[in-house]
Amino acid sequence: ALEERGELERTLIVVVADHGEGLGDHDWWFHRVLYEEQVRVPLIVRAPGEGPRVVRELVRSVDIAPTVLDYLGLPVPAELSG
């Protein structure tokens, strides 16, 4: 829809998920042990004019808001972590 309206190349898209749940995998149902599905969370960012790349550094959800504000050229409040 963004492409049809000619807005895709001026839109920043950020998709992130909460941590995964084991849901019975590994024979447990609670938050006791960390497995890949809990620590590897999808984060997809599509920025106009940027090509695809994989970021290998650790990022956290608190990094998202300051990154978006910085990308948009807006001030990042000092009280924001990330």
Side-chain angles (χ1 to χ4, degrees), residues 33-61:
V33 181
L34 294 178
Y35 288 98
E36 285 293 307
E37 59 267 28
Q38 287 183 294
V39 296
R40 293 197 170 265
V41 176
L43 171 60
I44 302 168
V45 178
R46 186 202 183 276
E50 298 286 330
R53 65 186 169 122
V54 174
V55 175
R56 302 266 180 225
E57 293 81 21
L58 176 66
V59 296
R60 302 171 305 154
S61 58

mmCIF file of all heavy atoms in Angstrom, residues 33-61:
data_model
loop_
_atom_site.group_PDB
_atom_site.id
_atom_site.type_symbol
_atom_site.label_atom_id
_atom_site.label_comp_id
_atom_site.label_asym_id
_atom_site.label_seq_id
_atom_site.Cartn_x
_atom_site.Cartn_y
_atom_site.Cartn_z
ATOM 1 N N VAL A 33 15.423 -21.302 31.881
ATOM 2 C CA VAL A 33 16.642 -21.471 31.094
ATOM 3 C C VAL A 33 16.464 -20.703 29.791
ATOM 4 O O VAL A 33 15.373 -20.671 29.231
ATOM 5 C CB VAL A 33 16.885 -22.965 30.793
ATOM 6 C CG1 VAL A 33 18.148 -23.159 29.998
ATOM 7 C CG2 VAL A 33 16.919 -23.775 32.080
ATOM 8 N N LEU A 34 17.510 -20.071 29.309
ATOM 9 C CA LEU A 34 17.412 -19.331 28.050
ATOM 10 C C LEU A 34 17.853 -20.205 26.881
ATOM 11 O O LEU A 34 18.930 -20.781 26.902
ATOM 12 C CB LEU A 34 18.283 -18.074 28.110
ATOM 13 C CG LEU A 34 17.839 -17.030 29.111
ATOM 14 C CD1 LEU A 34 18.820 -15.862 29.106
ATOM 15 C CD2 LEU A 34 16.434 -16.538 28.825
ATOM 16 N N TYR A 35 17.006 -20.279 25.882
ATOM 17 C CA TYR A 35 17.306 -20.968 24.637
ATOM 18 C C TYR A 35 17.267 -19.952 23.504
ATOM 19 O O TYR A 35 16.797 -18.831 23.672
ATOM 20 C CB TYR A 35 16.284 -22.091 24.386
ATOM 21 C CG TYR A 35 16.462 -23.273 25.299
ATOM 22 C CD1 TYR A 35 15.692 -23.413 26.448
ATOM 23 C CD2 TYR A 35 17.407 -24.258 25.016
ATOM 24 C CE1 TYR A 35 15.848 -24.509 27.290
ATOM 25 C CE2 TYR A 35 17.575 -25.353 25.848
ATOM 26 C CZ TYR A 35 16.796 -25.473 26.979
ATOM 27 O OH TYR A 35 16.958 -26.553 27.804
ATOM 28 N N GLU A 36 17.724 -20.348 22.339
ATOM 29 C CA GLU A 36 17.793 -19.444 21.179
ATOM 30 C C GLU A 36 16.471 -18.724 20.915
ATOM 31 O O GLU A 36 16.458 -17.548 20.599
ATOM 32 C CB GLU A 36 18.208 -20.214 19.922
ATOM 33 C CG GLU A 36 19.668 -20.582 19.884
ATOM 34 C CD GLU A 36 20.555 -19.363 19.771
ATOM 35 O OE1 GLU A 36 20.342 -18.542 18.868
ATOM 36 O OE2 GLU A 36 21.474 -19.246 20.598
ATOM 37 N N GLU A 37 15.359 -19.413 21.026
ATOM 38 C CA GLU A 37 14.071 -18.782 20.716
ATOM 39 C C GLU A 37 13.694 -17.691 21.706
ATOM 40 O O GLU A 37 12.782 -16.911 21.450
ATOM 41 C CB GLU A 37 12.945 -19.822 20.621
ATOM 42 C CG GLU A 37 12.722 -20.627 21.870
ATOM 43 C CD GLU A 37 13.482 -21.948 21.893
ATOM 44 O OE1 GLU A 37 14.543 -22.051 21.267
ATOM 45 O OE2 GLU A 37 13.000 -22.867 22.551
ATOM 46 N N GLN A 38 14.395 -17.605 22.824
ATOM 47 C CA GLN A 38 14.128 -16.526 23.779
ATOM 48 C C GLN A 38 15.093 -15.359 23.624
ATOM 49 O O GLN A 38 14.753 -14.240 23.968
ATOM 50 C CB GLN A 38 14.226 -17.046 25.203
ATOM 51 C CG GLN A 38 13.061 -17.923 25.583
ATOM 52 C CD GLN A 38 13.183 -18.337 27.008
ATOM 53 O OE1 GLN A 38 14.090 -19.071 27.366
ATOM 54 N NE2 GLN A 38 12.286 -17.860 27.829
ATOM 55 N N VAL A 39 16.295 -15.609 23.167
ATOM 56 C CA VAL A 39 17.284 -14.533 23.109
ATOM 57 C C VAL A 39 17.493 -13.972 21.705
ATOM 58 O O VAL A 39 18.057 -12.901 21.560
ATOM 59 C CB VAL A 39 18.641 -14.979 23.706
ATOM 60 C CG1 VAL A 39 18.487 -15.284 25.177
ATOM 61 C CG2 VAL A 39 19.212 -16.166 22.971
ATOM 62 N N ARG A 40 17.045 -14.661 20.695
ATOM 63 C CA ARG A 40 17.142 -14.153 19.327
ATOM 64 C C ARG A 40 15.765 -13.682 18.893
ATOM 65 O O ARG A 40 14.908 -14.461 18.536
ATOM 66 C CB ARG A 40 17.671 -15.210 18.379
ATOM 67 C CG ARG A 40 19.092 -15.556 18.657
ATOM 68 C CD ARG A 40 19.704 -16.281 17.480
ATOM 69 N NE ARG A 40 21.122 -16.401 17.677
ATOM 70 C CZ ARG A 40 22.022 -15.580 17.200
ATOM 71 N NH1 ARG A 40 21.634 -14.545 16.485
ATOM 72 N NH2 ARG A 40 23.296 -15.757 17.412
ATOM 73 N N VAL A 41 15.574 -12.379 18.950
ATOM 74 C CA VAL A 41 14.278 -11.773 18.666
ATOM 75 C C VAL A 41 14.350 -11.060 17.327
ATOM 76 O O VAL A 41 15.321 -10.348 17.054
ATOM 77 C CB VAL A 41 13.924 -10.764 19.791
ATOM 78 C CG1 VAL A 41 12.632 -10.052 19.493
ATOM 79 C CG2 VAL A 41 13.842 -11.488 21.115
ATOM 80 N N PRO A 42 13.333 -11.221 16.482
ATOM 81 C CA PRO A 42 13.355 -10.529 15.192
ATOM 82 C C PRO A 42 13.332 -9.005 15.340
ATOM 83 O O PRO A 42 12.568 -8.467 16.121
ATOM 84 C CB PRO A 42 12.074 -10.997 14.497
ATOM 85 C CG PRO A 42 11.577 -12.154 15.279
ATOM 86 C CD PRO A 42 12.151 -12.048 16.648
ATOM 87 N N LEU A 43 14.194 -8.346 14.604
ATOM 88 C CA LEU A 43 14.178 -6.891 14.483
ATOM 89 C C LEU A 43 14.501 -6.580 13.032
ATOM 90 O O LEU A 43 15.589 -6.887 12.547
ATOM 91 C CB LEU A 43 15.200 -6.220 15.394
ATOM 92 C CG LEU A 43 15.394 -4.712 15.181
ATOM 93 C CD1 LEU A 43 14.095 -3.956 15.406
ATOM 94 C CD2 LEU A 43 16.498 -4.176 16.071
ATOM 95 N N ILE A 44 13.550 -6.014 12.338
ATOM 96 C CA ILE A 44 13.711 -5.675 10.925
ATOM 97 C C ILE A 44 13.489 -4.181 10.771
ATOM 98 O O ILE A 44 12.472 -3.648 11.230
ATOM 99 C CB ILE A 44 12.714 -6.451 10.035
ATOM 100 C CG1 ILE A 44 12.906 -7.961 10.233
ATOM 101 C CG2 ILE A 44 12.865 -6.049 8.576
ATOM 102 C CD1 ILE A 44 11.807 -8.796 9.629
ATOM 103 N N VAL A 45 14.439 -3.517 10.152
ATOM 104 C CA VAL A 45 14.335 -2.084 9.909
ATOM 105 C C VAL A 45 14.510 -1.856 8.420
ATOM 106 O O VAL A 45 15.475 -2.330 7.823
ATOM 107 C CB VAL A 45 15.406 -1.296 10.693
ATOM 108 C CG1 VAL A 45 15.304 0.187 10.384
ATOM 109 C CG2 VAL A 45 15.284 -1.556 12.185
ATOM 110 N N ARG A 46 13.571 -1.142 7.820
ATOM 111 C CA ARG A 46 13.703 -0.752 6.418
ATOM 112 C C ARG A 46 13.728 0.761 6.372
ATOM 113 O O ARG A 46 12.747 1.429 6.716
ATOM 114 C CB ARG A 46 12.546 -1.267 5.574
ATOM 115 C CG ARG A 46 12.788 -0.969 4.099
ATOM 116 C CD ARG A 46 11.501 -0.972 3.319
ATOM 117 N NE ARG A 46 11.744 -0.761 1.917
ATOM 118 C CZ ARG A 46 11.892 0.421 1.338
ATOM 119 N NH1 ARG A 46 11.868 1.522 2.062
ATOM 120 N NH2 ARG A 46 12.092 0.531 0.038
ATOM 121 N N ALA A 47 14.877 1.282 5.985
ATOM 122 C CA ALA A 47 15.040 2.730 5.922
ATOM 123 C C ALA A 47 15.185 3.161 4.469
ATOM 124 O O ALA A 47 15.902 2.513 3.704
ATOM 125 C CB ALA A 47 16.270 3.152 6.714
ATOM 126 N N PRO A 48 14.525 4.241 4.076
ATOM 127 C CA PRO A 48 14.639 4.725 2.711
ATOM 128 C C PRO A 48 16.103 4.957 2.329
ATOM 129 O O PRO A 48 16.878 5.526 3.105
ATOM 130 C CB PRO A 48 13.865 6.044 2.717
ATOM 131 C CG PRO A 48 12.907 5.902 3.848
ATOM 132 C CD PRO A 48 13.619 5.075 4.868
ATOM 133 N N GLY A 49 16.472 4.474 1.162
ATOM 134 C CA GLY A 49 17.826 4.690 0.659
ATOM 135 C C GLY A 49 18.870 3.755 1.223
ATOM 136 O O GLY A 49 20.035 3.844 0.858
ATOM 137 N N GLU A 50 18.489 2.882 2.133
ATOM 138 C CA GLU A 50 19.436 1.938 2.731
ATOM 139 C C GLU A 50 19.246 0.563 2.100
ATOM 140 O O GLU A 50 18.129 0.112 1.910
ATOM 141 C CB GLU A 50 19.217 1.823 4.243
ATOM 142 C CG GLU A 50 19.431 3.102 4.988
ATOM 143 C CD GLU A 50 20.904 3.466 5.100
ATOM 144 O OE1 GLU A 50 21.749 2.558 5.126
ATOM 145 O OE2 GLU A 50 21.193 4.668 5.166
ATOM 146 N N GLY A 51 20.347 -0.096 1.820
ATOM 147 C CA GLY A 51 20.284 -1.443 1.285
ATOM 148 C C GLY A 51 20.222 -2.469 2.397
ATOM 149 O O GLY A 51 20.397 -2.144 3.574
ATOM 150 N N PRO A 52 19.971 -3.723 2.047
ATOM 151 C CA PRO A 52 19.906 -4.765 3.071
ATOM 152 C C PRO A 52 21.270 -5.038 3.697
ATOM 153 O O PRO A 52 22.296 -4.985 3.023
ATOM 154 C CB PRO A 52 19.414 -5.988 2.303
ATOM 155 C CG PRO A 52 19.629 -5.695 0.876
ATOM 156 C CD PRO A 52 19.718 -4.221 0.711
ATOM 157 N N ARG A 53 21.274 -5.276 4.996
ATOM 158 C CA ARG A 53 22.485 -5.672 5.707
ATOM 159 C C ARG A 53 22.103 -6.348 7.015
ATOM 160 O O ARG A 53 20.994 -6.183 7.507
ATOM 161 C CB ARG A 53 23.406 -4.498 5.967
ATOM 162 C CG ARG A 53 22.854 -3.447 6.886
ATOM 163 C CD ARG A 53 23.796 -2.251 6.967
ATOM 164 N NE ARG A 53 23.152 -1.156 7.631
ATOM 165 C CZ ARG A 53 23.613 -0.573 8.709
ATOM 166 N NH1 ARG A 53 24.744 -0.990 9.237
ATOM 167 N NH2 ARG A 53 22.987 0.422 9.265
ATOM 168 N N VAL A 54 23.015 -7.101 7.544
ATOM 169 C CA VAL A 54 22.818 -7.779 8.817
ATOM 170 C C VAL A 54 23.724 -7.119 9.843
ATOM 171 O O VAL A 54 24.915 -6.932 9.596
ATOM 172 C CB VAL A 54 23.157 -9.286 8.700
ATOM 173 C CG1 VAL A 54 23.085 -9.967 10.054
ATOM 174 C CG2 VAL A 54 22.232 -9.961 7.697
ATOM 175 N N VAL A 55 23.160 -6.754 10.972
ATOM 176 C CA VAL A 55 23.924 -6.150 12.054
ATOM 177 C C VAL A 55 24.259 -7.267 13.040
ATOM 178 O O VAL A 55 23.369 -7.908 13.580
ATOM 179 C CB VAL A 55 23.114 -5.034 12.753
ATOM 180 C CG1 VAL A 55 23.863 -4.497 13.951
ATOM 181 C CG2 VAL A 55 22.790 -3.941 11.762
ATOM 182 N N ARG A 56 25.524 -7.491 13.253
ATOM 183 C CA ARG A 56 25.955 -8.582 14.138
ATOM 184 C C ARG A 56 26.066 -8.143 15.606
ATOM 185 O O ARG A 56 26.071 -8.972 16.489
ATOM 186 C CB ARG A 56 27.301 -9.128 13.675
ATOM 187 C CG ARG A 56 27.273 -9.635 12.255
ATOM 188 C CD ARG A 56 27.004 -11.101 12.227
ATOM 189 N NE ARG A 56 26.989 -11.563 10.846
ATOM 190 C CZ ARG A 56 26.067 -12.368 10.373
ATOM 191 N NH1 ARG A 56 25.106 -12.797 11.152
ATOM 192 N NH2 ARG A 56 26.093 -12.747 9.120
ATOM 193 N N GLU A 57 26.145 -6.839 15.855
ATOM 194 C CA GLU A 57 26.281 -6.343 17.217
ATOM 195 C C GLU A 57 24.981 -6.573 17.995
ATOM 196 O O GLU A 57 23.902 -6.617 17.429
ATOM 197 C CB GLU A 57 26.620 -4.845 17.237
ATOM 198 C CG GLU A 57 27.975 -4.504 16.679
ATOM 199 C CD GLU A 57 27.999 -4.439 15.164
ATOM 200 O OE1 GLU A 57 26.950 -4.262 14.547
ATOM 201 O OE2 GLU A 57 29.094 -4.594 14.608
ATOM 202 N N LEU A 58 25.128 -6.681 19.295
ATOM 203 C CA LEU A 58 23.979 -6.837 20.165
ATOM 204 C C LEU A 58 23.155 -5.553 20.155
ATOM 205 O O LEU A 58 23.692 -4.459 20.301
ATOM 206 C CB LEU A 58 24.446 -7.126 21.597
ATOM 207 C CG LEU A 58 23.355 -7.221 22.659
ATOM 208 C CD1 LEU A 58 22.469 -8.429 22.407
ATOM 209 C CD2 LEU A 58 23.983 -7.283 24.030
ATOM 210 N N VAL A 59 21.872 -5.691 19.946
ATOM 211 C CA VAL A 59 20.953 -4.561 20.057
ATOM 212 C C VAL A 59 19.862 -4.941 21.051
ATOM 213 O O VAL A 59 19.584 -6.110 21.262
ATOM 214 C CB VAL A 59 20.334 -4.151 18.704
ATOM 215 C CG1 VAL A 59 21.390 -3.646 17.754
ATOM 216 C CG2 VAL A 59 19.561 -5.286 18.084
ATOM 217 N N ARG A 60 19.276 -3.927 21.661
ATOM 218 C CA ARG A 60 18.220 -4.156 22.639
ATOM 219 C C ARG A 60 17.008 -3.330 22.239
ATOM 220 O O ARG A 60 17.128 -2.349 21.510
ATOM 221 C CB ARG A 60 18.705 -3.748 24.031
ATOM 222 C CG ARG A 60 19.964 -4.495 24.449
ATOM 223 C CD ARG A 60 20.559 -3.945 25.728
ATOM 224 N NE ARG A 60 20.812 -2.510 25.599
ATOM 225 C CZ ARG A 60 20.846 -1.674 26.631
ATOM 226 N NH1 ARG A 60 20.633 -2.100 27.842
ATOM 227 N NH2 ARG A 60 21.101 -0.395 26.437
ATOM 228 N N SER A 61 15.861 -3.709 22.750
ATOM 229 C CA SER A 61 14.644 -2.969 22.398
ATOM 230 C C SER A 61 14.735 -1.511 22.822
ATOM 231 O O SER A 61 14.153 -0.642 22.173
ATOM 232 C CB SER A 61 13.401 -3.644 22.980
ATOM 233 O OG SER A 61 13.502 -3.755 24.379
#
